[in-house]
Amino acid sequence: MAEKGRTKAIAVVGAQWGDEGKGKVVDYLASSFEYTARYAGGHNAGHTVIFNSHRYVLQLVPSGILRPGKKAVIGPGAVVDPAALVAELENLKRSGVEVRGRLFLSNRAHLIFPYHREMDKAAETARGEAKIGTTSRGIGPAYEDKMARRGIRVSELLEPECFRVKLERLIAEKSAISKAAYNHPLESAGLLEQYLELAAHIRGLVADTAVLLNHALDKGESVLFEGAQGTMLDIDHGTYPYVTSSNATSGGAAAGLGVPPTRITGVVGVTKAYTTRVGSGPFPTEMPDLDAQAVRERGNEFGAVTGRPRRCGWLDLVVLRYAKMLNGIDSLVVTKLDVFDEQPEIKVCVGYRHKGQSISEMPAEVETLAQIEPEYKTLPGWKKSTPGIKDVRDLPTAARDYLNFISDQLEVEIGMISTGPERDATIVPRGTKLSAWL
Ligand code: GDP
Ligand code: IMO
Ligand code: MG
């Protein structure tokens, strides 16, 4: 139910370093919303949704598209590789998901080109040991061009002559840089033709999505904002420079879609029962190899897109407290509780110490974060199977204690608990804010 006079508009954000299970959560919630909208990032994201024994991995297309009849938007804050988008749409079609008339791509979204990918890889190689561990999708270089005001947008791709002029200008500039840096010009043969051909495939999706969403809200049609990446990967608030190049936090939903912040009526944060991170950068609660291996196997912690093994660690309440503040989280979803079903004891980080002193705020410098000693509280495991449980009262006592501990420490409700990757392995406790949004 919407707040009086305001249409339901809820943001779902990752509260950690990405891969929290946002895809599963958005898929669950999407049946109660008219639209699902992506506001940031590109096909660096991999959102897994599993139902009826079918596994879908969505990269750019919002997960809500899997709900028949529901509409989905890719907003101006996202960066779009048209070849990747067309491939994703073909995959969806093969799985019987028709997007025509339901998926809308912003005319203002910026394009990713093959040279963005090349730049991404070259920069990572040049950084050596200090590499970020990007997804090599060209995300950073595409946002660089956008911010430097030389990017090319979707609407320009649809005007062949305008596109040709802009692309030639851009290639000349990039070639000069590439020659100076790598002593060879940019590989751009056939690029114009390739992109004009791709344009034909996406033309029918393109819209002014800010107008579309604001009109939808005016009419009382609800919107679910689908965050990509996670709070600690946010360009401004994350573990910079080991972050992505966009605002993953809930504020990004307003800027990245042109929906005023005053229209957002609630924020759902998603966390795993533990923590993972892919790529480089400090990770205070990272587990020793053997523990990490066990969690990685039980949780199948391998990148949905890149297949990279994810680094695993204990739950970090300092991170989650920070995420609650930055995003304004009203309701927390805890996923992958089942991964701890056989765990004898569970550690939770309740505070940070640096050089012997307690610190209460997230340090800005990664060098400081790398020196953090986490303070842990150890809670007993439950040693019982949780998938299939539908009522929170039927969870083992120690599992409920674990969830209550998180909720008490963060002073936030737990609005949903996930005990398996499938859609129906989900518990929604009654009487929560989240349950009122369904
Ligand atoms: P996202 O990027 O936040 O959407 O998350 P990913 O899809 O990249 O990674 C989450 C992984 O965990 C996927 O493989 C999901 O199928 C899986 N998953 C989600 N929720 C649960 C859960 O409660 N239990 C288990 N075992 N797996 C889950
Ligand atoms: P979802 O939406 C986890 C990480 C990369 C790297 C850093 C920068 O599935 O949660 P980039 O290619 O964006 O320049 O890489 O960010 N990263 C993610 N990690 N989940 C994601 O998305 C990620 N998107 C980017 O691993 O450390
Ligand atoms: Mg993912």
Side-chain angles (χ1 to χ4, degrees), residues 236-399:
D236 291 310
H237 306 289
T239 46
Y240 190 91
Y242 300 101
V243 292
T244 191
S245 297
S246 60
N247 285 114
T249 44
S250 61
L257 286 164
V259 171
T262 46
R263 296 200 94 156
I264 299 178
T265 57
V267 179
V268 174
V270 186
T271 176
K272 285 176 179 166
Y274 49 95
T275 313
T276 62
R277 141 160 242 188
V278 224
S280 329
F283 184 179
T285 63
E286 188 160 16
M287 292 169 174
D289 278 354
L290 271 182
D291 291 332
Q293 231 169 337
V295 169
R296 190 175 303 121
E297 270 162 37
R298 269 183 267 138
N300 191 23
E301 293 297 356
F302 297 90
V305 175
T306 59
R308 290 184 290 176
R310 295 173 179 151
R311 298 158 69 193
C312 299
W314 299 109
L315 193 70
D316 186 334
L317 293 178
V318 181
V319 163
L320 292 185
R321 208 169 285 125
Y322 183 59
K324 182 192 161 197
M325 175 187 79
L326 292 172
N327 295 290
I329 294 172
D330 297 299
S331 189
L332 190 70
V333 177
V334 178
T335 63
K336 308 197 91 154
L337 191 72
D338 54 301
V339 174
F340 276 160
D341 282 357
E342 283 162 35
Q343 190 77 24
E345 285 187 331
I346 300 171
K347 293 211 288 184
V348 190
C349 169
V350 291
Y352 284 173
R353 290 183 87 77
H354 183 244
K355 297 192 172 155
Q357 302 283 320
S358 274
I359 53 170
S360 53
E361 307 304 340
M362 183 62 67
E365 318 77 33
V366 283
E367 290 76 14
T368 310
L369 196 59
Q371 294 164 353
I372 285 296
E373 303 142 49
E375 291 179 316
Y376 288 111
K377 180 168 168 68
T378 303
L379 299 172
W382 42 94
K383 296 282 220 160
K384 284 198 181 98
S385 171
T386 55
I389 294 176
K390 298 307 288 175
D391 189 318
V392 75
R393 288 169 300 191
D394 296 334
L395 281 171
T397 311

Side-chain angles (χ1 to χ4, degrees), residues 92-112:
L92 282 170
K93 199 169 188 171
R94 268 198 293 278
S95 308
V97 182
E98 181 51 73
V99 305
R100 212 170 320 155
R102 302 200 290 130
L103 177 65
F104 304 92
L105 168 64
S106 168
N107 52 1
R108 290 177 172 83
H110 278 253
L111 295 171
I112 300 179

Side-chain angles (χ1 to χ4, degrees), residues 78-156:
V79 283
V80 179
D81 180 331
L85 177 59
V86 168
E88 188 171 344
L89 297 181
E90 278 166 6
N91 264 335
L92 282 170
K93 199 169 188 171
R94 268 198 293 278
S95 308
V97 182
E98 181 51 73
V99 305
R100 212 170 320 155
R102 302 200 290 130
L103 177 65
F104 304 92
L105 168 64
S106 168
N107 52 1
R108 290 177 172 83
H110 278 253
L111 295 171
I112 300 179
F113 290 99
Y115 51 77
H116 288 133
R117 240 174 6 245
E118 285 167 35
M119 295 284 184
D120 195 349
K121 287 184 199 151
E124 285 283 87
T125 308
R127 283 183 200 116
E129 291 261 288
K131 74 173 182 186
I132 295 168
T134 71
T135 58
S136 323
R137 300 292 192 272
I139 304 295
Y143 276 115
E144 276 176 45
D145 278 354
K146 166 176 165 169
M147 292 309 186
R149 294 155 296 176
R150 59 170 169 256
I152 302 183
R153 308 204 285 187
V154 165
S155 60
E156 290 158 337

Side-chain angles (χ1 to χ4, degrees), residues 18-24 46-48 50 55 272 298-300 304 310 335-339 418-421 425:
D19 300 329
E20 296 89 350
K22 298 175 292 296
K24 165 168 174 169
H47 296 179
T48 316
I50 302 177
R55 179 174 180 266
K272 285 176 179 166
R298 269 183 267 138
N300 191 23
R310 295 173 179 151
T335 63
K336 308 197 91 154
L337 191 72
D338 54 301
V339 174
S418 173
T419 58

